[in-house]
C-alpha cells in the first residue's frame, strides 16, 4: 500500500500542465547553443520565454480549437497566422534574412509545446522548417534573402517536395526528372504526401538530373527552389488521413515546369546530400512533436485516473493503472532527452545523424505506445470521440512513418 501511495503522489505532480518546467532555479545567463557551454538541464531566460509563450498560445488558442479542426479537416490558417505573429514560426531563419536565428534546441522546445495542443496544427507550422532547411544549409545569399526573407514579412508556407508514389523512405528511388535546356531546367514527375502542398508559396524539389540509372545517389539528384505558381504545376486533392487531419497533404504533378538555373541549390548533383542534410536538422523537431503528443496523452490519462472511480476508489489506486502511468512518464522523459541531445548536437555545430535518427525513431514509438496506453486507461471512453485520447492515438501513427519509417 505504501508503494501505491508513493506512486500516486508522483502521478499527481505530473497531472498539471505546468509540470513540464524542469527546474524552479533561476536560469544562468548561458545560451546552450554557444560552443563550449556544455550540456545543461537548465533553460536560458530566452528559452524559457519562448517556451512560456508557446505554452500559453497552446492552452488558450490551440487546445480549444483542435477538436473542431480535426472534425472538419479545415486548414488552421488563423492559428498559423497567430503563431507567426508571436514569433513561434520560422524561428530558425537566420537573422541576416530577417529571422530570429534561434538554435535547434530552442526551436524544439517550441515544437513540443505546440504539439501538446494538436500535432496537426504543429505539423502545418513545422513543415515550413523542412521546406526551408535546404535553403538554409545550401542556399546562396541571394536565394536565402529572396525565399527565406519573404517568410518573415508575412505568414507564408513552403513545402518539401521529395516523396513520390513509389519512393518515400527510399529517397534515392525517386523518378522525377530535370532536364537542362539552355539556362533552364524542365521538370517532369509526380510527388506525393506533400505537407502544405496546396498552401505553399514555394517548394524545395528534388529531381534526377543524371539520366544514368546506375549513377550514384550523391551525384544523380539536384535540389531546386520552385515557385508554387509556376506554369505546369498541378496540385492534387487534399488527402483525408487517419490523423492530423487539419494538416494539408497532397500530391503534386510537375509537367514541363521550367525552372531558371539560378534556382539550383549549391550545384547540379548536390541534391541528395542537401536533402539528407536537411533531415539531420529537422528530425529533432519531429521527435519533439512526438514527445509533445506523448506528454499530452500522459497528462490526460493521469487526470482521468485521479478522477475516475471504480470499486469505491480512484482507478489510479489500482496497481496495474498506477504502474502503467509510471512507465508512461518514464518513456516521455527519455524521449525528451533523446530529442534534446540531437538538437544540442546541431547547436554545437556537429553532425547529429546518429542522435537525430535515434530521437526520431524512439520518440515516434513512444508517442504511439503512450497514446495507446492512455486509451486503455480511459477504457470504453477512450474509444469515443468525445474524449481527447482517441485523437491522440490517431495522430501518433504518422511519427512512425514520416521522414523514413521507423522499421527502415
Amino acid at each position: 500500500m505504501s508503494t501505491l501511495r508513493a506512486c500516486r503522489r508522483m502521478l499527481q505532480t505530473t497531472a498539471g500542465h505546468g509540470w513540464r518546467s524542469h527546474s524552479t532555479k533561476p536560469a544562468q545567463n548561458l545560451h546552450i547553443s554557444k560552443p563550449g557551454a556544455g550540456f545543461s538541464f537548465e533553460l536560458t531566460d530566452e528559452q524559457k520565454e519562448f517556451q512560456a509563450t508557446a505554452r500559453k498560445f497552446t492552452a488558450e488558442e490551440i487546445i480549444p480549437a483542435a477538436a473542431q479542426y480535426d472534425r472538419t479537416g479545415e486548414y488552421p490558417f488563423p492559428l498559423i497566422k497567430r503563431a507567426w505573429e508571436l514569433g513561434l514560426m520560422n524561428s530558425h531563419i537566420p537573422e541576416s534574412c530577417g529571422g530570429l536565428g534561434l538554435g535547434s534546441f530552442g526551436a524544439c522546445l517550441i515544437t513540443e509545446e505546440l504539439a501538446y495542443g494538436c500535432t496537426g496544427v504543429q505539423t502545418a507550422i513545422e513543415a515550413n522548417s523542412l521546406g526551408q532547411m535546404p535553403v538554409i544549409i545550401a542556399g546562396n545569399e541571394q536565394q536565402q534573402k529572396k525565399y527565406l526573407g519573404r517568410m518573415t514579412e508575412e505568414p507564408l508556407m513552403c513545402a518539401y517536395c521529395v516523396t513520390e508514389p513509389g519512393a518515400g523512405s527510399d529517397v534515392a528511388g525517386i523518378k522525377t526528372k530535370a532536364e537542362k535546356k539552355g539556362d533552364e531546367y524542365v521538370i517532369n514527375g509526380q510527388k506525393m504526401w506533400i505537407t502544405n502542398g496546396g498552401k505553399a508559396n514555394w517548394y524545395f524539389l528534388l529531381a534526377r538530373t543524371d539520366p544514368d540509372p546506375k549513377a550514384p545517389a550523391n551525384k544523380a539528384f539536384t535540389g531546386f527552389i520552385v515557385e508554387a505558381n509556376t506554369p505546369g504545376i498541378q496540385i492534387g486533392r487534399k488527402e483525408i488521413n487517419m490523423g492530423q487531419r487539419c494538416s494539408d497533404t497532397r500530391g503534386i504533378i510537375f509537367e514541363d515546369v521550367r525552372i531558371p538555373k539560378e534556382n539550383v541549390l549549391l550545384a547540379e548533383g548536390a541534391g541528395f546530400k542537401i536533402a539528407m542534410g536537411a533531415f539531420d536538422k529537422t528530425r529533432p523537431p519531429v521527435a519533439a512533436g512526438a514527445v509533445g503528443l506523448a506528454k499530452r496523452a500522459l497528462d490526460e490519462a493521469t487526470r482521468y485516473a485521479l478522477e475516475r472511480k471504480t470499486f469505491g476508489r480512484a482507478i489510479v489506486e489500482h496497481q496495474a493503472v498506477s504502474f502503467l502511468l509510471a512507465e508512461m512518464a518514464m518513456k516521455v522523459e527519455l524521449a525528451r532527452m533523446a530529442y534534446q541531445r540531437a538538437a544540442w548536437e546541431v547547436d554545437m555545430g556537429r553532425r547529429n545523424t546518429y542522435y537525430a535518427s535515434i530521437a526520431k525513431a524512439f520518440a515516434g514509438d513512444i508517442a504511439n505506445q503512450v497514446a495507446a496506453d492512455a486509451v486503455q486507461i480511459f477504457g470504453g471512453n477512450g474509444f469515443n470521440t468525445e474524449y481527447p485520447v482517441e485523437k491522440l492515438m490517431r495522430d501518433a501513427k504518422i511519427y512512425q512513418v514520416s521522414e523514413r519509417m521507423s522499421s527502415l
Side-chain angles (χ1 to χ4, degrees):
M1 184 61 69
S2 61
T3 301
L4 281 176
R5 283 197 293 268
C7 191
R8 184 180 185 185
R9 284 196 297 270
M10 183 274 288
L11 291 168
Q12 285 175 321
T13 66
T14 71
H17 191 183
W19 171 80
R20 283 176 291 155
S21 293
H22 305 300
S23 174
T24 58
K25 296 180 180 179
Q28 297 177 2
N29 189 21
L30 183 69
H31 198 291
I32 197 167
S33 64
K34 288 184 178 179
F39 191 93
S40 172
F41 290 98
E42 181 60 60
L43 303 183
T44 66
D45 290 338
E46 179 188 58
Q47 290 166 347
K48 286 183 176 181
E49 183 178 352
F50 275 110
Q51 186 185 56
T53 299
R55 185 172 297 175
K56 185 174 186 291
F57 171 61
T58 295
E60 295 180 355
E61 301 190 49
I62 295 181
I63 290 177
Q68 178 66 14
Y69 278 118
D70 181 63
R71 283 192 293 269
T72 65
E74 180 184 354
Y75 193 68
F77 187 74
L79 293 177
I80 291 172
K81 183 175 183 293
R82 182 59 178 152
W84 181 85
E85 292 170 347
L86 291 171
L88 301 176
M89 192 171 159
N90 307 322
S91 60
H92 50 278
I93 291 179
E95 292 179 320
S96 60
C97 299
L100 296 173
L102 200 63
S104 180
F105 194 99
C108 284
L109 293 176
I110 293 172
T111 296
E112 181 184 341
E113 297 298 329
L114 300 181
Y116 186 95
C118 175
T119 57
V121 174
Q122 176 266 316
T123 294
I125 293 172
E126 189 59 38
N128 263 16
S129 300
L130 183 57
Q132 294 165 4
M133 197 55 65
V135 182
I136 291 175
I137 65 177
N140 58 40
E141 183 178 357
Q142 182 180 3
Q143 290 169 336
Q144 289 185 350
K145 287 188 178 296
K146 180 177 181 180
Y147 291 100
L148 300 178
R150 70 174 65 169
M151 312 298 280
T152 67
E153 296 169 357
E154 57 181 308
L156 299 175
M157 313 306 291
C158 64
Y160 184 86
C161 282
V162 173
T163 301
E164 297 184 0
S169 297
D170 181 15
V171 175
I174 67 173
K175 303 297 184 184
T176 297
K177 297 179 181 179
E179 182 181 358
K180 190 173 184 181
K181 292 186 177 181
D183 291 337
E184 296 179 318
Y185 286 83
V186 180
I187 312 290
N188 283 283
Q190 182 179 1
K191 299 296 182 179
M192 190 62 195
W193 309 119
I194 307 303
T195 304
N196 285 346
K199 306 297 181 180
N201 177 264
W202 55 269
Y203 308 115
F204 164 74
L205 173 73
L206 188 66
R208 175 178 283 274
T209 45
D210 191 330
D212 183 0
K214 296 182 180 180
N218 61 355
K219 296 182 179 179
F221 302 98
T222 299
F224 299 89
I225 303 172
V226 182
E227 297 276 6
N229 61 359
T230 305
I233 294 178
Q234 302 173 36
I235 299 173
R237 66 178 176 84
K238 173 183 165 66
E239 299 294 331
I240 309 302
N241 295 324
M242 172 183 177
Q244 300 194 2
R245 291 175 175 170
C246 67
S247 175
D248 185 83
T249 307
R250 300 174 189 254
I252 302 176
I253 295 174
F254 297 83
E255 185 175 352
D256 293 331
V257 176
R258 293 183 174 273
I259 308 300
K261 66 178 183 180
E262 290 78 18
N263 282 31
V264 171
L265 281 173
L266 201 60
E268 185 174 309
F272 187 79
K273 289 183 179 179
I274 295 171
M276 295 301 98
F279 281 148
D280 286 349
K281 304 296 190 301
T282 59
R283 279 177 176 157
V286 171
V291 171
L293 184 150
K295 184 59 175 66
R296 175 72 181 280
L298 171 62
D299 284 355
E300 295 289 353
T302 301
R303 278 192 285 267
Y304 187 83
L306 290 167
E307 297 170 359
R308 174 72 168 172
K309 292 185 178 180
T310 60
F311 306 105
R313 57 179 177 172
I315 64 173
V316 73
E317 295 183 24
H318 296 288
Q319 189 177 64
V321 174
S322 63
F323 280 11
L324 182 58
L325 286 165
E327 289 177 0
M328 291 162 69
M330 288 188 287
K331 290 174 179 178
V332 171
E333 288 297 324
L334 291 172
R336 180 181 289 119
M337 288 298 299
Y339 89 65
Q340 289 184 348
R341 174 61 187 270
W344 183 77
E345 290 288 337
V346 173
D347 290 344
M348 290 297 103
R350 296 195 287 258
R351 183 175 179 180
N352 74 331
T353 306
Y354 175 75
Y355 294 107
S357 298
I358 289 174
K360 191 269 179 186
F362 183 68
D365 288 345
I366 291 307
N368 279 268
Q369 293 169 18
V370 173
D373 288 343
V375 170
Q376 187 67 31
I377 290 171
F378 271 71
N381 288 337
F383 195 66
N384 188 276
T385 59
E386 293 300 314
Y387 293 83
V389 290
E390 67 86 25
K391 176 182 181 298
L392 296 175
M393 188 173 178
R394 288 189 288 105
D395 288 348
K397 188 60 189 175
I398 191 62
Y399 288 108
Q400 290 179 318
V401 297
S402 67
E403 289 199 22
R404 183 164 289 185
M405 292 172 60
S406 298
S407 55
L408 296 178

mmCIF file of all heavy atoms in Angstrom, residues 25-46:
data_model
loop_
_atom_site.group_PDB
_atom_site.id
_atom_site.type_symbol
_atom_site.label_atom_id
_atom_site.label_comp_id
_atom_site.label_asym_id
_atom_site.label_seq_id
_atom_site.Cartn_x
_atom_site.Cartn_y
_atom_site.Cartn_z
ATOM 1 N N LYS A 25 14.888 26.850 -10.326
ATOM 2 C CA LYS A 25 16.038 27.691 -10.044
ATOM 3 C C LYS A 25 16.215 28.750 -11.121
ATOM 4 O O LYS A 25 15.864 28.527 -12.270
ATOM 5 C CB LYS A 25 17.306 26.829 -9.956
ATOM 6 C CG LYS A 25 17.281 25.838 -8.798
ATOM 7 C CD LYS A 25 18.564 25.033 -8.773
ATOM 8 C CE LYS A 25 18.560 24.038 -7.626
ATOM 9 N NZ LYS A 25 19.803 23.226 -7.612
ATOM 10 N N PRO A 26 16.771 29.902 -10.763
ATOM 11 C CA PRO A 26 16.993 30.945 -11.770
ATOM 12 C C PRO A 26 17.907 30.447 -12.877
ATOM 13 O O PRO A 26 18.884 29.738 -12.626
ATOM 14 C CB PRO A 26 17.666 32.073 -10.966
ATOM 15 C CG PRO A 26 17.342 31.776 -9.543
ATOM 16 C CD PRO A 26 17.234 30.301 -9.426
ATOM 17 N N ALA A 27 17.569 30.793 -14.123
ATOM 18 C CA ALA A 27 18.394 30.373 -15.252
ATOM 19 C C ALA A 27 19.685 31.170 -15.286
ATOM 20 O O ALA A 27 19.702 32.365 -15.058
ATOM 21 C CB ALA A 27 17.629 30.579 -16.567
ATOM 22 N N GLN A 28 20.763 30.487 -15.550
ATOM 23 C CA GLN A 28 22.014 31.184 -15.757
ATOM 24 C C GLN A 28 21.971 31.885 -17.096
ATOM 25 O O GLN A 28 21.304 31.442 -18.021
ATOM 26 C CB GLN A 28 23.180 30.190 -15.733
ATOM 27 C CG GLN A 28 23.343 29.485 -14.398
ATOM 28 C CD GLN A 28 24.473 28.461 -14.468
ATOM 29 O OE1 GLN A 28 25.124 28.329 -15.479
ATOM 30 N NE2 GLN A 28 24.685 27.763 -13.373
ATOM 31 N N ASN A 29 22.675 32.966 -17.207
ATOM 32 C CA ASN A 29 22.708 33.710 -18.457
ATOM 33 C C ASN A 29 23.677 33.026 -19.423
ATOM 34 O O ASN A 29 24.734 33.527 -19.761
ATOM 35 C CB ASN A 29 23.147 35.153 -18.201
ATOM 36 C CG ASN A 29 22.985 36.004 -19.444
ATOM 37 O OD1 ASN A 29 22.223 35.653 -20.341
ATOM 38 N ND2 ASN A 29 23.695 37.115 -19.485
ATOM 39 N N LEU A 30 23.283 31.814 -19.816
ATOM 40 C CA LEU A 30 24.135 30.967 -20.635
ATOM 41 C C LEU A 30 23.303 30.341 -21.725
ATOM 42 O O LEU A 30 22.339 29.648 -21.442
ATOM 43 C CB LEU A 30 24.755 29.872 -19.758
ATOM 44 C CG LEU A 30 25.752 28.908 -20.394
ATOM 45 C CD1 LEU A 30 27.031 29.661 -20.735
ATOM 46 C CD2 LEU A 30 26.055 27.772 -19.432
ATOM 47 N N HIS A 31 23.624 30.603 -22.977
ATOM 48 C CA HIS A 31 22.861 30.072 -24.099
ATOM 49 C C HIS A 31 23.416 28.706 -24.462
ATOM 50 O O HIS A 31 24.599 28.554 -24.710
ATOM 51 C CB HIS A 31 22.938 31.008 -25.306
ATOM 52 C CG HIS A 31 21.854 30.748 -26.299
ATOM 53 N ND1 HIS A 31 21.810 29.613 -27.064
ATOM 54 C CD2 HIS A 31 20.751 31.467 -26.632
ATOM 55 C CE1 HIS A 31 20.747 29.642 -27.845
ATOM 56 N NE2 HIS A 31 20.085 30.751 -27.601
ATOM 57 N N ILE A 32 22.545 27.719 -24.487
ATOM 58 C CA ILE A 32 23.002 26.347 -24.666
ATOM 59 C C ILE A 32 23.666 26.118 -26.018
ATOM 60 O O ILE A 32 24.408 25.169 -26.201
ATOM 61 C CB ILE A 32 21.825 25.369 -24.467
ATOM 62 C CG1 ILE A 32 22.358 23.939 -24.231
ATOM 63 C CG2 ILE A 32 20.889 25.374 -25.653
ATOM 64 C CD1 ILE A 32 21.321 22.993 -23.718
ATOM 65 N N SER A 33 23.383 26.987 -27.007
ATOM 66 C CA SER A 33 23.928 26.767 -28.335
ATOM 67 C C SER A 33 25.314 27.373 -28.522
ATOM 68 O O SER A 33 25.901 27.259 -29.571
ATOM 69 C CB SER A 33 22.976 27.347 -29.398
ATOM 70 O OG SER A 33 22.872 28.730 -29.268
ATOM 71 N N LYS A 34 25.858 28.034 -27.473
ATOM 72 C CA LYS A 34 27.189 28.606 -27.599
ATOM 73 C C LYS A 34 28.240 27.506 -27.446
ATOM 74 O O LYS A 34 28.188 26.717 -26.511
ATOM 75 C CB LYS A 34 27.406 29.683 -26.525
ATOM 76 C CG LYS A 34 26.622 30.964 -26.784
ATOM 77 C CD LYS A 34 26.957 32.012 -25.736
ATOM 78 C CE LYS A 34 26.218 33.327 -26.016
ATOM 79 N NZ LYS A 34 26.520 34.341 -25.002
ATOM 80 N N PRO A 35 29.195 27.434 -28.374
ATOM 81 C CA PRO A 35 30.245 26.423 -28.271
ATOM 82 C C PRO A 35 30.951 26.492 -26.925
ATOM 83 O O PRO A 35 31.251 27.561 -26.417
ATOM 84 C CB PRO A 35 31.187 26.793 -29.425
ATOM 85 C CG PRO A 35 30.321 27.530 -30.408
ATOM 86 C CD PRO A 35 29.336 28.289 -29.562
ATOM 87 N N GLY A 36 31.161 25.332 -26.341
ATOM 88 C CA GLY A 36 31.849 25.274 -25.065
ATOM 89 C C GLY A 36 30.951 25.462 -23.864
ATOM 90 O O GLY A 36 31.403 25.378 -22.734
ATOM 91 N N ALA A 37 29.663 25.714 -24.103
ATOM 92 C CA ALA A 37 28.748 25.955 -22.981
ATOM 93 C C ALA A 37 28.478 24.680 -22.200
ATOM 94 O O ALA A 37 28.158 24.722 -21.033
ATOM 95 C CB ALA A 37 27.427 26.545 -23.497
ATOM 96 N N GLY A 38 28.619 23.530 -22.855
ATOM 97 C CA GLY A 38 28.345 22.275 -22.178
ATOM 98 C C GLY A 38 26.863 21.967 -22.145
ATOM 99 O O GLY A 38 26.020 22.810 -22.444
ATOM 100 N N PHE A 39 26.538 20.753 -21.782
ATOM 101 C CA PHE A 39 25.138 20.337 -21.730
ATOM 102 C C PHE A 39 24.563 20.707 -20.372
ATOM 103 O O PHE A 39 25.114 20.354 -19.334
ATOM 104 C CB PHE A 39 25.043 18.828 -21.950
ATOM 105 C CG PHE A 39 23.646 18.333 -22.174
ATOM 106 C CD1 PHE A 39 23.135 18.208 -23.448
ATOM 107 C CD2 PHE A 39 22.823 18.003 -21.109
ATOM 108 C CE1 PHE A 39 21.849 17.753 -23.661
ATOM 109 C CE2 PHE A 39 21.533 17.555 -21.313
ATOM 110 C CZ PHE A 39 21.053 17.427 -22.593
ATOM 111 N N SER A 40 23.457 21.432 -20.391
ATOM 112 C CA SER A 40 22.837 21.886 -19.147
ATOM 113 C C SER A 40 21.366 21.520 -19.149
ATOM 114 O O SER A 40 20.693 21.592 -20.172
ATOM 115 C CB SER A 40 22.985 23.407 -19.001
ATOM 116 O OG SER A 40 22.239 23.873 -17.902
ATOM 117 N N PHE A 41 20.883 21.108 -17.994
ATOM 118 C CA PHE A 41 19.460 20.820 -17.861
ATOM 119 C C PHE A 41 18.652 22.078 -17.565
ATOM 120 O O PHE A 41 17.426 22.027 -17.517
ATOM 121 C CB PHE A 41 19.229 19.790 -16.744
ATOM 122 C CG PHE A 41 19.719 18.421 -17.085
ATOM 123 C CD1 PHE A 41 20.947 17.981 -16.637
ATOM 124 C CD2 PHE A 41 18.966 17.572 -17.872
ATOM 125 C CE1 PHE A 41 21.415 16.723 -16.958
ATOM 126 C CE2 PHE A 41 19.421 16.311 -18.199
ATOM 127 C CZ PHE A 41 20.655 15.875 -17.745
ATOM 128 N N GLU A 42 19.318 23.180 -17.373
ATOM 129 C CA GLU A 42 18.644 24.449 -17.090
ATOM 130 C C GLU A 42 18.451 25.221 -18.391
ATOM 131 O O GLU A 42 19.381 25.350 -19.192
ATOM 132 C CB GLU A 42 19.482 25.275 -16.108
ATOM 133 C CG GLU A 42 18.851 26.606 -15.737
ATOM 134 C CD GLU A 42 17.493 26.421 -15.087
ATOM 135 O OE1 GLU A 42 17.413 25.765 -14.045
ATOM 136 O OE2 GLU A 42 16.515 26.932 -15.659
ATOM 137 N N LEU A 43 17.243 25.725 -18.590
ATOM 138 C CA LEU A 43 16.958 26.525 -19.768
ATOM 139 C C LEU A 43 17.419 27.967 -19.551
ATOM 140 O O LEU A 43 17.400 28.478 -18.430
ATOM 141 C CB LEU A 43 15.461 26.508 -20.080
ATOM 142 C CG LEU A 43 14.810 25.139 -20.309
ATOM 143 C CD1 LEU A 43 13.342 25.323 -20.668
ATOM 144 C CD2 LEU A 43 15.534 24.352 -21.381
ATOM 145 N N THR A 44 17.809 28.615 -20.637
ATOM 146 C CA THR A 44 18.173 30.021 -20.547
ATOM 147 C C THR A 44 16.907 30.861 -20.404
ATOM 148 O O THR A 44 15.786 30.385 -20.641
ATOM 149 C CB THR A 44 18.934 30.470 -21.801
ATOM 150 O OG1 THR A 44 18.041 30.415 -22.928
ATOM 151 C CG2 THR A 44 20.141 29.587 -22.063
ATOM 152 N N ASP A 45 17.073 32.119 -20.056
ATOM 153 C CA ASP A 45 15.919 33.011 -19.941
ATOM 154 C C ASP A 45 15.196 33.125 -21.280
ATOM 155 O O ASP A 45 13.959 33.156 -21.319
ATOM 156 C CB ASP A 45 16.377 34.396 -19.470
ATOM 157 C CG ASP A 45 16.843 34.398 -18.019
ATOM 158 O OD1 ASP A 45 16.440 33.481 -17.272
ATOM 159 O OD2 ASP A 45 17.606 35.310 -17.643
ATOM 160 N N GLU A 46 15.955 33.194 -22.375
ATOM 161 C CA GLU A 46 15.337 33.292 -23.695
ATOM 162 C C GLU A 46 14.535 32.043 -24.018
ATOM 163 O O GLU A 46 13.393 32.134 -24.502
ATOM 164 C CB GLU A 46 16.420 33.485 -24.758
ATOM 165 C CG GLU A 46 15.867 33.580 -26.180
ATOM 166 C CD GLU A 46 16.953 33.582 -27.237
ATOM 167 O OE1 GLU A 46 17.750 32.623 -27.285
ATOM 168 O OE2 GLU A 46 17.007 34.545 -28.013
#
